[in-house]
Amino acid sequence: MASKDELDRLLALYNIPRAGWLIRGVPAAFAEDVASHSYLVAVLALRIAREARGCGGNVDEGKALTMALIHDLPEALTGDIPRPVKERLGDVVGRLEEEALGKLGFAHFKDLYAEVESAASVEALLVKIADDLATYLRAVYYLNSGFEGVRDIAENTRSNVMSLIPRLPGGLRECVQRYVSTLLEYKAR
């Protein structure tokens, strides 16, 4: 059973705005929180995994969904660390995130979390695609709401999605590309 402290920490994800939006001028009251982002990533990962399976891919939808749900859990303790900062800090962030998983009661997902971070499986690649796709869709939403400062996030995450797809096994590439392309058609007005 989860302790009250663990539950309070998990619920904090609804109160942690994603840093990239804040840095680029989206007001905290309007900025997407980590929990909302994680939900969209999970829904997209499940949908993309279903598409991949429909094309004959050997994809474990449950594994992809679990990975999507845990991919930002450590942020309940670390906060949302912007991607450029994570890249500069390297292994330090990984150790902090692993420690946070344990403190949150999710130490048993440590290996699965590491698999996502290193994009070491088809499911992990699909979650990475869903993560960047969710961020892209939110960036377009903000652009359409007048927040021009997020344009670089839209461009970078779109580019990231397109660079991840070729890493998928041959038969899945075209299938995932077809589905993802329909979502990438959502653009700023």
Side-chain angles (χ1 to χ4, degrees):
M1 176 175 253
S3 71
K4 183 181 178 327
D5 286 344
E6 287 172 346
L7 185 57
D8 286 344
R9 289 175 182 154
L10 290 174
L11 290 172
L13 291 168
Y14 288 99
N15 297 314
I16 300 172
R18 296 194 66 217
W21 307 134
L22 298 178
I23 291 166
R24 288 164 181 83
V26 177
F30 198 56
E32 173 188 42
D33 59 68
V34 174
S36 297
H37 168 73
S38 293
Y39 175 77
L40 183 54
V41 172
V43 169
L44 290 170
L46 185 60
R47 185 68 170 83
I48 294 168
R50 174 60 51 106
E51 285 293 320
R53 278 183 56 103
C55 292
N58 185 18
V59 176
D60 182 338
E61 293 172 46
K63 181 179 179 182
L65 182 57
T66 300
M67 288 175 152
L69 289 169
I70 66 168
H71 90 281
D72 279 341
L73 272 182
E75 293 180 16
L77 295 180
T78 66
D80 183 31
I81 303 169
R83 188 176 283 181
V85 174
K86 275 186 175 185
E87 290 168 359
R88 292 199 63 202
L89 292 175
D91 293 344
V92 172
V93 174
R95 288 192 304 273
L96 288 172
E97 290 171 339
E98 187 176 313
E99 183 181 313
L101 276 176
K103 287 182 177 180
L104 292 166
F106 290 91
H108 54 288
F109 286 120
K110 180 183 73 159
D111 292 339
L112 208 55
Y113 183 83
E115 189 176 322
V116 173
E117 289 300 301
S118 62
S121 65
V122 169
E123 292 84 1
L125 279 168
L126 296 180
V127 171
K128 291 284 201 186
I129 290 167
D131 189 13
D132 280 327
L133 191 53
T135 302
Y136 168 79
L137 293 170
R138 194 62 172 186
V140 170
Y141 170 78
Y142 288 134
L143 284 168
N144 288 337
S145 298
F147 297 101
E148 280 297 315
V150 305
R151 187 167 299 280
D152 69 312
I153 293 178
E155 292 167 358
N156 291 337
T157 53
R158 180 185 179 87
S159 175
N160 290 346
V161 168
M162 298 310 289
S163 70
L164 288 167
I165 291 172
R167 294 174 56 189
L168 291 167
L172 296 183
R173 273 184 221 129
E174 296 76 25
C175 181
V176 170
Q177 175 70 50
R178 254 191 323 274
Y179 176 70
V180 166
S181 291
T182 64
L183 295 174
L184 291 176
E185 289 175 11
Y186 180 59
K187 295 183 179 150
R189 292 177 247 159

